[in-house]
Amino acid sequence: GGVAGELSYKRLRRLAAEYMLLHKGHFAQFLSLEKDSFEAYCKRIGGTAAWGGQHELMALSHVLRRNIEVFRHDMRTQRFPDPSTDEPFAGAPLRLSYHLHEYNGGEHYNSVVSAAHKLHRRRPRSAPDHPDPTPAPDAPHAAGSWEG
């Protein structure tokens, strides 16, 4: 199985870096590393707010065993894993929005949730004699943005 529960962006970054290290033969060939070794790159990704992009999203998709959809600034949707080359995972995808230099904040990703899910998460806990009939989501959800 994958990783269960709600995960912080810091935990997600560590998971992506660990997966990339375990699959160096796949990821290292796609990175242009001028200053860093692959190991140093992964250490930086896993332990800082350094930019993480497509490679890290691919790693997270595999670690979490979830499809990831990225709604891009150019109105295209990017999917991880790529459905034209890899078998997609079962279940609802995790959804992110990609922002290109939004308000001078640089490139970053934010999690995207449905309005119904957002309302459910903000609802106060029900009293024991009035349980909330809405089932809790069973999938990991990344709170906040990828950039840190």
PDB file of all heavy atoms in Angstrom, residues 70-109:
ATOM      1  N   VAL A  70      -2.023  18.137 -12.342  1.00  0.00           N
ATOM      2  CA  VAL A  70      -1.551  19.503 -12.134  1.00  0.00           C
ATOM      3  C   VAL A  70      -2.256  20.405 -13.132  1.00  0.00           C
ATOM      4  O   VAL A  70      -2.128  20.222 -14.344  1.00  0.00           O
ATOM      5  CB  VAL A  70      -0.015  19.600 -12.309  1.00  0.00           C
ATOM      6  CG1 VAL A  70       0.442  21.041 -12.129  1.00  0.00           C
ATOM      7  CG2 VAL A  70       0.705  18.676 -11.338  1.00  0.00           C
ATOM      8  N   PHE A  71      -3.014  21.370 -12.604  1.00  0.00           N
ATOM      9  CA  PHE A  71      -3.673  22.366 -13.440  1.00  0.00           C
ATOM     10  C   PHE A  71      -2.680  23.497 -13.635  1.00  0.00           C
ATOM     11  O   PHE A  71      -2.323  24.188 -12.696  1.00  0.00           O
ATOM     12  CB  PHE A  71      -4.963  22.850 -12.780  1.00  0.00           C
ATOM     13  CG  PHE A  71      -5.923  21.727 -12.485  1.00  0.00           C
ATOM     14  CD1 PHE A  71      -6.168  21.335 -11.181  1.00  0.00           C
ATOM     15  CD2 PHE A  71      -6.540  21.041 -13.511  1.00  0.00           C
ATOM     16  CE1 PHE A  71      -7.033  20.293 -10.908  1.00  0.00           C
ATOM     17  CE2 PHE A  71      -7.408  19.993 -13.249  1.00  0.00           C
ATOM     18  CZ  PHE A  71      -7.656  19.619 -11.942  1.00  0.00           C
ATOM     19  N   ARG A  72      -2.223  23.636 -14.864  1.00  0.00           N
ATOM     20  CA  ARG A  72      -1.130  24.558 -15.171  1.00  0.00           C
ATOM     21  C   ARG A  72      -1.623  25.962 -15.509  1.00  0.00           C
ATOM     22  O   ARG A  72      -2.771  26.148 -15.877  1.00  0.00           O
ATOM     23  CB  ARG A  72      -0.321  24.007 -16.340  1.00  0.00           C
ATOM     24  CG  ARG A  72       0.353  22.677 -16.026  1.00  0.00           C
ATOM     25  CD  ARG A  72       0.973  22.053 -17.259  1.00  0.00           C
ATOM     26  NE  ARG A  72       1.565  23.026 -18.137  1.00  0.00           N
ATOM     27  CZ  ARG A  72       2.869  23.281 -18.212  1.00  0.00           C
ATOM     28  NH1 ARG A  72       3.708  22.614 -17.466  1.00  0.00           N
ATOM     29  NH2 ARG A  72       3.338  24.188 -19.064  1.00  0.00           N
ATOM     30  N   HIS A  73      -0.704  26.903 -15.451  1.00  0.00           N
ATOM     31  CA  HIS A  73      -1.000  28.303 -15.767  1.00  0.00           C
ATOM     32  C   HIS A  73      -1.451  28.497 -17.213  1.00  0.00           C
ATOM     33  O   HIS A  73      -2.162  29.443 -17.517  1.00  0.00           O
ATOM     34  CB  HIS A  73       0.223  29.176 -15.486  1.00  0.00           C
ATOM     35  CG  HIS A  73       1.393  28.849 -16.355  1.00  0.00           C
ATOM     36  ND1 HIS A  73       2.164  27.714 -16.161  1.00  0.00           N
ATOM     37  CD2 HIS A  73       1.908  29.476 -17.423  1.00  0.00           C
ATOM     38  CE1 HIS A  73       3.102  27.673 -17.081  1.00  0.00           C
ATOM     39  NE2 HIS A  73       2.978  28.735 -17.852  1.00  0.00           N
ATOM     40  N   ASP A  74      -1.070  27.569 -18.111  1.00  0.00           N
ATOM     41  CA  ASP A  74      -1.450  27.677 -19.525  1.00  0.00           C
ATOM     42  C   ASP A  74      -2.736  26.906 -19.834  1.00  0.00           C
ATOM     43  O   ASP A  74      -3.050  26.656 -20.980  1.00  0.00           O
ATOM     44  CB  ASP A  74      -0.307  27.213 -20.427  1.00  0.00           C
ATOM     45  CG  ASP A  74       0.102  25.769 -20.175  1.00  0.00           C
ATOM     46  OD1 ASP A  74      -0.569  25.058 -19.374  1.00  0.00           O
ATOM     47  OD2 ASP A  74       1.106  25.338 -20.757  1.00  0.00           O
ATOM     48  N   MET A  75      -3.459  26.522 -18.788  1.00  0.00           N
ATOM     49  CA  MET A  75      -4.755  25.845 -18.875  1.00  0.00           C
ATOM     50  C   MET A  75      -4.663  24.371 -19.268  1.00  0.00           C
ATOM     51  O   MET A  75      -5.678  23.726 -19.480  1.00  0.00           O
ATOM     52  CB  MET A  75      -5.731  26.587 -19.814  1.00  0.00           C
ATOM     53  CG  MET A  75      -5.957  28.043 -19.434  1.00  0.00           C
ATOM     54  SD  MET A  75      -6.525  28.265 -17.730  1.00  0.00           S
ATOM     55  CE  MET A  75      -8.178  27.674 -17.856  1.00  0.00           C
ATOM     56  N   ARG A  76      -3.467  23.834 -19.376  1.00  0.00           N
ATOM     57  CA  ARG A  76      -3.323  22.407 -19.636  1.00  0.00           C
ATOM     58  C   ARG A  76      -3.308  21.658 -18.309  1.00  0.00           C
ATOM     59  O   ARG A  76      -3.020  22.230 -17.268  1.00  0.00           O
ATOM     60  CB  ARG A  76      -2.034  22.107 -20.396  1.00  0.00           C
ATOM     61  CG  ARG A  76      -2.033  22.657 -21.812  1.00  0.00           C
ATOM     62  CD  ARG A  76      -0.791  22.271 -22.560  1.00  0.00           C
ATOM     63  NE  ARG A  76       0.386  22.526 -21.715  1.00  0.00           N
ATOM     64  CZ  ARG A  76       1.605  22.121 -21.993  1.00  0.00           C
ATOM     65  NH1 ARG A  76       1.849  21.458 -23.086  1.00  0.00           N
ATOM     66  NH2 ARG A  76       2.608  22.390 -21.187  1.00  0.00           N
ATOM     67  N   THR A  77      -3.602  20.369 -18.368  1.00  0.00           N
ATOM     68  CA  THR A  77      -3.520  19.509 -17.191  1.00  0.00           C
ATOM     69  C   THR A  77      -2.402  18.509 -17.427  1.00  0.00           C
ATOM     70  O   THR A  77      -2.383  17.828 -18.451  1.00  0.00           O
ATOM     71  CB  THR A  77      -4.849  18.769 -16.955  1.00  0.00           C
ATOM     72  OG1 THR A  77      -5.881  19.736 -16.772  1.00  0.00           O
ATOM     73  CG2 THR A  77      -4.760  17.883 -15.723  1.00  0.00           C
ATOM     74  N   GLN A  78      -1.493  18.448 -16.494  1.00  0.00           N
ATOM     75  CA  GLN A  78      -0.389  17.494 -16.562  1.00  0.00           C
ATOM     76  C   GLN A  78      -0.684  16.372 -15.574  1.00  0.00           C
ATOM     77  O   GLN A  78      -1.149  16.632 -14.461  1.00  0.00           O
ATOM     78  CB  GLN A  78       0.905  18.201 -16.196  1.00  0.00           C
ATOM     79  CG  GLN A  78       2.133  17.400 -16.472  1.00  0.00           C
ATOM     80  CD  GLN A  78       3.382  18.260 -16.314  1.00  0.00           C
ATOM     81  OE1 GLN A  78       3.350  19.346 -15.744  1.00  0.00           O
ATOM     82  NE2 GLN A  78       4.485  17.758 -16.809  1.00  0.00           N
ATOM     83  N   ARG A  79      -0.429  15.129 -15.982  1.00  0.00           N
ATOM     84  CA  ARG A  79      -0.778  13.983 -15.141  1.00  0.00           C
ATOM     85  C   ARG A  79       0.463  13.152 -14.806  1.00  0.00           C
ATOM     86  O   ARG A  79       1.307  12.921 -15.660  1.00  0.00           O
ATOM     87  CB  ARG A  79      -1.818  13.126 -15.844  1.00  0.00           C
ATOM     88  CG  ARG A  79      -3.155  13.837 -15.938  1.00  0.00           C
ATOM     89  CD  ARG A  79      -4.181  13.035 -16.734  1.00  0.00           C
ATOM     90  NE  ARG A  79      -5.488  13.661 -16.660  1.00  0.00           N
ATOM     91  CZ  ARG A  79      -5.867  14.704 -17.381  1.00  0.00           C
ATOM     92  NH1 ARG A  79      -5.042  15.238 -18.247  1.00  0.00           N
ATOM     93  NH2 ARG A  79      -7.070  15.210 -17.255  1.00  0.00           N
ATOM     94  N   PHE A  80       0.510  12.709 -13.556  1.00  0.00           N
ATOM     95  CA  PHE A  80       1.571  11.832 -13.070  1.00  0.00           C
ATOM     96  C   PHE A  80       0.920  10.608 -12.447  1.00  0.00           C
ATOM     97  O   PHE A  80       0.031  10.771 -11.610  1.00  0.00           O
ATOM     98  CB  PHE A  80       2.426  12.546 -12.015  1.00  0.00           C
ATOM     99  CG  PHE A  80       3.091  13.780 -12.525  1.00  0.00           C
ATOM    100  CD1 PHE A  80       2.483  15.010 -12.402  1.00  0.00           C
ATOM    101  CD2 PHE A  80       4.325  13.704 -13.149  1.00  0.00           C
ATOM    102  CE1 PHE A  80       3.089  16.156 -12.875  1.00  0.00           C
ATOM    103  CE2 PHE A  80       4.939  14.854 -13.629  1.00  0.00           C
ATOM    104  CZ  PHE A  80       4.318  16.087 -13.487  1.00  0.00           C
ATOM    105  N   PRO A  81       1.309   9.387 -12.812  1.00  0.00           N
ATOM    106  CA  PRO A  81       2.206   9.112 -13.921  1.00  0.00           C
ATOM    107  C   PRO A  81       1.545   9.452 -15.245  1.00  0.00           C
ATOM    108  O   PRO A  81       0.331   9.582 -15.327  1.00  0.00           O
ATOM    109  CB  PRO A  81       2.467   7.614 -13.800  1.00  0.00           C
ATOM    110  CG  PRO A  81       1.304   7.056 -13.055  1.00  0.00           C
ATOM    111  CD  PRO A  81       0.810   8.164 -12.170  1.00  0.00           C
ATOM    112  N   ASP A  82       2.358   9.587 -16.268  1.00  0.00           N
ATOM    113  CA  ASP A  82       1.867   9.928 -17.605  1.00  0.00           C
ATOM    114  C   ASP A  82       1.026   8.769 -18.128  1.00  0.00           C
ATOM    115  O   ASP A  82       1.536   7.671 -18.331  1.00  0.00           O
ATOM    116  CB  ASP A  82       3.056  10.187 -18.530  1.00  0.00           C
ATOM    117  CG  ASP A  82       2.641  10.627 -19.920  1.00  0.00           C
ATOM    118  OD1 ASP A  82       1.476  10.417 -20.319  1.00  0.00           O
ATOM    119  OD2 ASP A  82       3.497  11.178 -20.619  1.00  0.00           O
ATOM    120  N   PRO A  83      -0.287   8.988 -18.351  1.00  0.00           N
ATOM    121  CA  PRO A  83      -1.150   7.885 -18.786  1.00  0.00           C
ATOM    122  C   PRO A  83      -0.803   7.329 -20.167  1.00  0.00           C
ATOM    123  O   PRO A  83      -1.216   6.232 -20.512  1.00  0.00           O
ATOM    124  CB  PRO A  83      -2.552   8.499 -18.768  1.00  0.00           C
ATOM    125  CG  PRO A  83      -2.355   9.959 -18.776  1.00  0.00           C
ATOM    126  CD  PRO A  83      -1.003  10.234 -18.188  1.00  0.00           C
ATOM    127  N   SER A  84      -0.006   8.059 -20.946  1.00  0.00           N
ATOM    128  CA  SER A  84       0.374   7.538 -22.258  1.00  0.00           C
ATOM    129  C   SER A  84       1.525   6.543 -22.164  1.00  0.00           C
ATOM    130  O   SER A  84       1.778   5.799 -23.108  1.00  0.00           O
ATOM    131  CB  SER A  84       0.746   8.688 -23.205  1.00  0.00           C
ATOM    132  OG  SER A  84       1.933   9.324 -22.778  1.00  0.00           O
ATOM    133  N   THR A  85       2.215   6.510 -21.019  1.00  0.00           N
ATOM    134  CA  THR A  85       3.354   5.594 -20.871  1.00  0.00           C
ATOM    135  C   THR A  85       3.254   4.676 -19.656  1.00  0.00           C
ATOM    136  O   THR A  85       3.933   3.663 -19.616  1.00  0.00           O
ATOM    137  CB  THR A  85       4.679   6.378 -20.765  1.00  0.00           C
ATOM    138  OG1 THR A  85       4.606   7.266 -19.645  1.00  0.00           O
ATOM    139  CG2 THR A  85       4.950   7.162 -22.032  1.00  0.00           C
ATOM    140  N   ASP A  86       2.443   5.036 -18.672  1.00  0.00           N
ATOM    141  CA  ASP A  86       2.342   4.245 -17.446  1.00  0.00           C
ATOM    142  C   ASP A  86       0.893   3.961 -17.103  1.00  0.00           C
ATOM    143  O   ASP A  86       0.007   4.769 -17.374  1.00  0.00           O
ATOM    144  CB  ASP A  86       2.971   5.004 -16.260  1.00  0.00           C
ATOM    145  CG  ASP A  86       4.467   5.168 -16.412  1.00  0.00           C
ATOM    146  OD1 ASP A  86       5.154   4.139 -16.530  1.00  0.00           O
ATOM    147  OD2 ASP A  86       4.935   6.322 -16.413  1.00  0.00           O
ATOM    148  N   GLU A  87       0.691   2.839 -16.447  1.00  0.00           N
ATOM    149  CA  GLU A  87      -0.640   2.467 -15.962  1.00  0.00           C
ATOM    150  C   GLU A  87      -1.014   3.391 -14.804  1.00  0.00           C
ATOM    151  O   GLU A  87      -0.255   3.536 -13.847  1.00  0.00           O
ATOM    152  CB  GLU A  87      -0.613   1.009 -15.478  1.00  0.00           C
ATOM    153  CG  GLU A  87      -1.955   0.455 -15.086  1.00  0.00           C
ATOM    154  CD  GLU A  87      -2.878   0.234 -16.278  1.00  0.00           C
ATOM    155  OE1 GLU A  87      -2.382   0.013 -17.395  1.00  0.00           O
ATOM    156  OE2 GLU A  87      -4.106   0.287 -16.074  1.00  0.00           O
ATOM    157  N   PRO A  88      -2.180   4.050 -14.873  1.00  0.00           N
ATOM    158  CA  PRO A  88      -2.570   4.923 -13.770  1.00  0.00           C
ATOM    159  C   PRO A  88      -2.937   4.114 -12.526  1.00  0.00           C
ATOM    160  O   PRO A  88      -3.269   2.933 -12.608  1.00  0.00           O
ATOM    161  CB  PRO A  88      -3.777   5.681 -14.308  1.00  0.00           C
ATOM    162  CG  PRO A  88      -4.239   4.941 -15.498  1.00  0.00           C
ATOM    163  CD  PRO A  88      -3.123   4.068 -15.973  1.00  0.00           C
ATOM    164  N   PHE A  89      -2.883   4.763 -11.374  1.00  0.00           N
ATOM    165  CA  PHE A  89      -3.280   4.144 -10.120  1.00  0.00           C
ATOM    166  C   PHE A  89      -4.790   4.248  -9.975  1.00  0.00           C
ATOM    167  O   PHE A  89      -5.435   5.098 -10.583  1.00  0.00           O
ATOM    168  CB  PHE A  89      -2.593   4.844  -8.936  1.00  0.00           C
ATOM    169  CG  PHE A  89      -1.101   4.691  -8.954  1.00  0.00           C
ATOM    170  CD1 PHE A  89      -0.289   5.769  -9.273  1.00  0.00           C
ATOM    171  CD2 PHE A  89      -0.505   3.480  -8.663  1.00  0.00           C
ATOM    172  CE1 PHE A  89       1.089   5.638  -9.293  1.00  0.00           C
ATOM    173  CE2 PHE A  89       0.871   3.333  -8.684  1.00  0.00           C
ATOM    174  CZ  PHE A  89       1.671   4.412  -9.003  1.00  0.00           C
ATOM    175  N   ALA A  90      -5.351   3.384  -9.141  1.00  0.00           N
ATOM    176  CA  ALA A  90      -6.789   3.419  -8.880  1.00  0.00           C
ATOM    177  C   ALA A  90      -7.105   4.567  -7.932  1.00  0.00           C
ATOM    178  O   ALA A  90      -6.246   5.030  -7.191  1.00  0.00           O
ATOM    179  CB  ALA A  90      -7.230   2.088  -8.259  1.00  0.00           C
ATOM    180  N   GLY A  91      -8.335   5.020  -7.958  1.00  0.00           N
ATOM    181  CA  GLY A  91      -8.784   6.042  -7.022  1.00  0.00           C
ATOM    182  C   GLY A  91      -8.714   7.445  -7.571  1.00  0.00           C
ATOM    183  O   GLY A  91      -8.169   7.693  -8.639  1.00  0.00           O
ATOM    184  N   ALA A  92      -9.284   8.343  -6.799  1.00  0.00           N
ATOM    185  CA  ALA A  92      -9.322   9.750  -7.189  1.00  0.00           C
ATOM    186  C   ALA A  92      -7.920  10.341  -7.165  1.00  0.00           C
ATOM    187  O   ALA A  92      -7.118  10.003  -6.294  1.00  0.00           O
ATOM    188  CB  ALA A  92     -10.234  10.526  -6.244  1.00  0.00           C
ATOM    189  N   PRO A  93      -7.620  11.215  -8.112  1.00  0.00           N
ATOM    190  CA  PRO A  93      -6.283  11.810  -8.141  1.00  0.00           C
ATOM    191  C   PRO A  93      -6.123  12.898  -7.078  1.00  0.00           C
ATOM    192  O   PRO A  93      -7.099  13.481  -6.609  1.00  0.00           O
ATOM    193  CB  PRO A  93      -6.207  12.425  -9.538  1.00  0.00           C
ATOM    194  CG  PRO A  93      -7.624  12.758  -9.865  1.00  0.00           C
ATOM    195  CD  PRO A  93      -8.454  11.675  -9.222  1.00  0.00           C
ATOM    196  N   LEU A  94      -4.883  13.164  -6.734  1.00  0.00           N
ATOM    197  CA  LEU A  94      -4.552  14.359  -5.970  1.00  0.00           C
ATOM    198  C   LEU A  94      -4.463  15.476  -6.983  1.00  0.00           C
ATOM    199  O   LEU A  94      -3.950  15.283  -8.084  1.00  0.00           O
ATOM    200  CB  LEU A  94      -3.213  14.183  -5.256  1.00  0.00           C
ATOM    201  CG  LEU A  94      -3.150  13.063  -4.224  1.00  0.00           C
ATOM    202  CD1 LEU A  94      -1.739  12.922  -3.685  1.00  0.00           C
ATOM    203  CD2 LEU A  94      -4.129  13.317  -3.105  1.00  0.00           C
ATOM    204  N   ARG A  95      -4.947  16.652  -6.639  1.00  0.00           N
ATOM    205  CA  ARG A  95      -4.975  17.756  -7.601  1.00  0.00           C
ATOM    206  C   ARG A  95      -4.167  18.932  -7.072  1.00  0.00           C
ATOM    207  O   ARG A  95      -4.299  19.310  -5.908  1.00  0.00           O
ATOM    208  CB  ARG A  95      -6.411  18.164  -7.878  1.00  0.00           C
ATOM    209  CG  ARG A  95      -7.158  17.067  -8.617  1.00  0.00           C
ATOM    210  CD  ARG A  95      -8.543  17.505  -9.029  1.00  0.00           C
ATOM    211  NE  ARG A  95      -9.130  16.503  -9.880  1.00  0.00           N
ATOM    212  CZ  ARG A  95     -10.011  15.592  -9.458  1.00  0.00           C
ATOM    213  NH1 ARG A  95     -10.401  15.580  -8.217  1.00  0.00           N
ATOM    214  NH2 ARG A  95     -10.479  14.702 -10.304  1.00  0.00           N
ATOM    215  N   LEU A  96      -3.357  19.500  -7.966  1.00  0.00           N
ATOM    216  CA  LEU A  96      -2.520  20.651  -7.641  1.00  0.00           C
ATOM    217  C   LEU A  96      -2.719  21.726  -8.688  1.00  0.00           C
ATOM    218  O   LEU A  96      -3.020  21.432  -9.843  1.00  0.00           O
ATOM    219  CB  LEU A  96      -1.043  20.250  -7.637  1.00  0.00           C
ATOM    220  CG  LEU A  96      -0.616  19.124  -6.723  1.00  0.00           C
ATOM    221  CD1 LEU A  96       0.841  18.766  -6.967  1.00  0.00           C
ATOM    222  CD2 LEU A  96      -0.841  19.510  -5.279  1.00  0.00           C
ATOM    223  N   SER A  97      -2.528  22.962  -8.280  1.00  0.00           N
ATOM    224  CA  SER A  97      -2.473  24.067  -9.242  1.00  0.00           C
ATOM    225  C   SER A  97      -1.029  24.548  -9.285  1.00  0.00           C
ATOM    226  O   SER A  97      -0.354  24.593  -8.260  1.00  0.00           O
ATOM    227  CB  SER A  97      -3.409  25.209  -8.833  1.00  0.00           C
ATOM    228  OG  SER A  97      -3.085  25.690  -7.545  1.00  0.00           O
ATOM    229  N   TYR A  98      -0.572  24.848 -10.484  1.00  0.00           N
ATOM    230  CA  TYR A  98       0.796  25.336 -10.688  1.00  0.00           C
ATOM    231  C   TYR A  98       0.726  26.831 -10.938  1.00  0.00           C
ATOM    232  O   TYR A  98      -0.041  27.295 -11.779  1.00  0.00           O
ATOM    233  CB  TYR A  98       1.429  24.622 -11.884  1.00  0.00           C
ATOM    234  CG  TYR A  98       2.735  25.219 -12.327  1.00  0.00           C
ATOM    235  CD1 TYR A  98       3.887  25.034 -11.586  1.00  0.00           C
ATOM    236  CD2 TYR A  98       2.815  25.972 -13.492  1.00  0.00           C
ATOM    237  CE1 TYR A  98       5.099  25.579 -12.005  1.00  0.00           C
ATOM    238  CE2 TYR A  98       4.009  26.519 -13.917  1.00  0.00           C
ATOM    239  CZ  TYR A  98       5.148  26.314 -13.157  1.00  0.00           C
ATOM    240  OH  TYR A  98       6.336  26.857 -13.561  1.00  0.00           O
ATOM    241  N   HIS A  99       1.513  27.579 -10.187  1.00  0.00           N
ATOM    242  CA  HIS A  99       1.516  29.034 -10.301  1.00  0.00           C
ATOM    243  C   HIS A  99       2.886  29.499 -10.750  1.00  0.00           C
ATOM    244  O   HIS A  99       3.894  29.156 -10.126  1.00  0.00           O
ATOM    245  CB  HIS A  99       1.140  29.667  -8.960  1.00  0.00           C
ATOM    246  CG  HIS A  99      -0.191  29.204  -8.483  1.00  0.00           C
ATOM    247  ND1 HIS A  99      -1.352  29.874  -8.780  1.00  0.00           N
ATOM    248  CD2 HIS A  99      -0.554  28.110  -7.768  1.00  0.00           C
ATOM    249  CE1 HIS A  99      -2.367  29.225  -8.253  1.00  0.00           C
ATOM    250  NE2 HIS A  99      -1.919  28.151  -7.644  1.00  0.00           N
ATOM    251  N   LEU A 100       2.905  30.278 -11.790  1.00  0.00           N
ATOM    252  CA  LEU A 100       4.150  30.785 -12.357  1.00  0.00           C
ATOM    253  C   LEU A 100       4.326  32.238 -11.931  1.00  0.00           C
ATOM    254  O   LEU A 100       3.626  33.122 -12.421  1.00  0.00           O
ATOM    255  CB  LEU A 100       4.102  30.666 -13.882  1.00  0.00           C
ATOM    256  CG  LEU A 100       5.308  31.152 -14.649  1.00  0.00           C
ATOM    257  CD1 LEU A 100       6.536  30.314 -14.312  1.00  0.00           C
ATOM    258  CD2 LEU A 100       5.035  31.088 -16.150  1.00  0.00           C
ATOM    259  N   HIS A 101       5.210  32.478 -11.002  1.00  0.00           N
ATOM    260  CA  HIS A 101       5.530  33.828 -10.522  1.00  0.00           C
ATOM    261  C   HIS A 101       4.291  34.592 -10.066  1.00  0.00           C
ATOM    262  O   HIS A 101       4.104  35.744 -10.407  1.00  0.00           O
ATOM    263  CB  HIS A 101       6.299  34.609 -11.594  1.00  0.00           C
ATOM    264  CG  HIS A 101       7.513  33.890 -12.041  1.00  0.00           C
ATOM    265  ND1 HIS A 101       8.602  33.676 -11.226  1.00  0.00           N
ATOM    266  CD2 HIS A 101       7.819  33.290 -13.214  1.00  0.00           C
ATOM    267  CE1 HIS A 101       9.516  33.006 -11.877  1.00  0.00           C
ATOM    268  NE2 HIS A 101       9.083  32.752 -13.090  1.00  0.00           N
ATOM    269  N   GLU A 102       3.471  33.949  -9.293  1.00  0.00           N
ATOM    270  CA  GLU A 102       2.270  34.561  -8.738  1.00  0.00           C
ATOM    271  C   GLU A 102       2.641  35.560  -7.651  1.00  0.00           C
ATOM    272  O   GLU A 102       3.248  35.197  -6.653  1.00  0.00           O
ATOM    273  CB  GLU A 102       1.379  33.451  -8.152  1.00  0.00           C
ATOM    274  CG  GLU A 102       0.044  33.893  -7.641  1.00  0.00           C
ATOM    275  CD  GLU A 102      -0.983  34.014  -8.748  1.00  0.00           C
ATOM    276  OE1 GLU A 102      -0.734  33.564  -9.864  1.00  0.00           O
ATOM    277  OE2 GLU A 102      -2.049  34.579  -8.459  1.00  0.00           O
ATOM    278  N   TYR A 103       2.303  36.804  -7.829  1.00  0.00           N
ATOM    279  CA  TYR A 103       2.560  37.857  -6.837  1.00  0.00           C
ATOM    280  C   TYR A 103       4.017  37.874  -6.375  1.00  0.00           C
ATOM    281  O   TYR A 103       4.316  37.954  -5.193  1.00  0.00           O
ATOM    282  CB  TYR A 103       1.634  37.704  -5.630  1.00  0.00           C
ATOM    283  CG  TYR A 103       0.185  37.696  -5.998  1.00  0.00           C
ATOM    284  CD1 TYR A 103      -0.575  36.542  -5.869  1.00  0.00           C
ATOM    285  CD2 TYR A 103      -0.434  38.832  -6.519  1.00  0.00           C
ATOM    286  CE1 TYR A 103      -1.914  36.520  -6.224  1.00  0.00           C
ATOM    287  CE2 TYR A 103      -1.769  38.820  -6.877  1.00  0.00           C
ATOM    288  CZ  TYR A 103      -2.497  37.666  -6.728  1.00  0.00           C
ATOM    289  OH  TYR A 103      -3.818  37.648  -7.089  1.00  0.00           O
ATOM    290  N   ASN A 104       4.926  37.748  -7.277  1.00  0.00           N
ATOM    291  CA  ASN A 104       6.364  37.745  -6.998  1.00  0.00           C
ATOM    292  C   ASN A 104       6.785  36.624  -6.057  1.00  0.00           C
ATOM    293  O   ASN A 104       7.826  36.708  -5.419  1.00  0.00           O
ATOM    294  CB  ASN A 104       6.827  39.103  -6.435  1.00  0.00           C
ATOM    295  CG  ASN A 104       6.664  40.195  -7.455  1.00  0.00           C
ATOM    296  OD1 ASN A 104       6.873  39.977  -8.642  1.00  0.00           O
ATOM    297  ND2 ASN A 104       6.276  41.370  -7.002  1.00  0.00           N
ATOM    298  N   GLY A 105       5.979  35.591  -5.948  1.00  0.00           N
ATOM    299  CA  GLY A 105       6.292  34.488  -5.049  1.00  0.00           C
ATOM    300  C   GLY A 105       7.088  33.382  -5.709  1.00  0.00           C
ATOM    301  O   GLY A 105       7.425  32.410  -5.066  1.00  0.00           O
ATOM    302  N   GLY A 106       7.371  33.501  -6.978  1.00  0.00           N
ATOM    303  CA  GLY A 106       8.078  32.437  -7.672  1.00  0.00           C
ATOM    304  C   GLY A 106       7.134  31.314  -8.064  1.00  0.00           C
ATOM    305  O   GLY A 106       5.940  31.350  -7.794  1.00  0.00           O
ATOM    306  N   GLU A 107       7.698  30.317  -8.705  1.00  0.00           N
ATOM    307  CA  GLU A 107       6.902  29.170  -9.103  1.00  0.00           C
ATOM    308  C   GLU A 107       6.541  28.359  -7.863  1.00  0.00           C
ATOM    309  O   GLU A 107       7.374  28.169  -6.982  1.00  0.00           O
ATOM    310  CB  GLU A 107       7.700  28.282 -10.053  1.00  0.00           C
ATOM    311  CG  GLU A 107       8.058  28.948 -11.363  1.00  0.00           C
ATOM    312  CD  GLU A 107       8.956  28.066 -12.193  1.00  0.00           C
ATOM    313  OE1 GLU A 107      10.171  28.124 -11.982  1.00  0.00           O
ATOM    314  OE2 GLU A 107       8.428  27.316 -13.032  1.00  0.00           O
ATOM    315  N   HIS A 108       5.306  27.863  -7.817  1.00  0.00           N
ATOM    316  CA  HIS A 108       4.926  26.983  -6.726  1.00  0.00           C
ATOM    317  C   HIS A 108       3.668  26.206  -7.079  1.00  0.00           C
ATOM    318  O   HIS A 108       2.976  26.525  -8.042  1.00  0.00           O
ATOM    319  CB  HIS A 108       4.746  27.753  -5.409  1.00  0.00           C
ATOM    320  CG  HIS A 108       3.578  28.689  -5.416  1.00  0.00           C
ATOM    321  ND1 HIS A 108       3.626  29.950  -5.959  1.00  0.00           N
ATOM    322  CD2 HIS A 108       2.326  28.547  -4.918  1.00  0.00           C
ATOM    323  CE1 HIS A 108       2.453  30.538  -5.807  1.00  0.00           C
ATOM    324  NE2 HIS A 108       1.646  29.712  -5.177  1.00  0.00           N
ATOM    325  N   TYR A 109       3.406  25.169  -6.288  1.00  0.00           N
ATOM    326  CA  TYR A 109       2.213  24.341  -6.410  1.00  0.00           C
ATOM    327  C   TYR A 109       1.367  24.528  -5.160  1.00  0.00           C
ATOM    328  O   TYR A 109       1.904  24.656  -4.062  1.00  0.00           O
ATOM    329  CB  TYR A 109       2.582  22.856  -6.504  1.00  0.00           C
ATOM    330  CG  TYR A 109       3.365  22.479  -7.728  1.00  0.00           C
ATOM    331  CD1 TYR A 109       4.748  22.444  -7.712  1.00  0.00           C
ATOM    332  CD2 TYR A 109       2.713  22.138  -8.905  1.00  0.00           C
ATOM    333  CE1 TYR A 109       5.477  22.084  -8.829  1.00  0.00           C
ATOM    334  CE2 TYR A 109       3.429  21.777 -10.034  1.00  0.00           C
ATOM    335  CZ  TYR A 109       4.812  21.746  -9.989  1.00  0.00           C
ATOM    336  OH  TYR A 109       5.524  21.387 -11.095  1.00  0.00           O
TER     337      TYR A 109
END
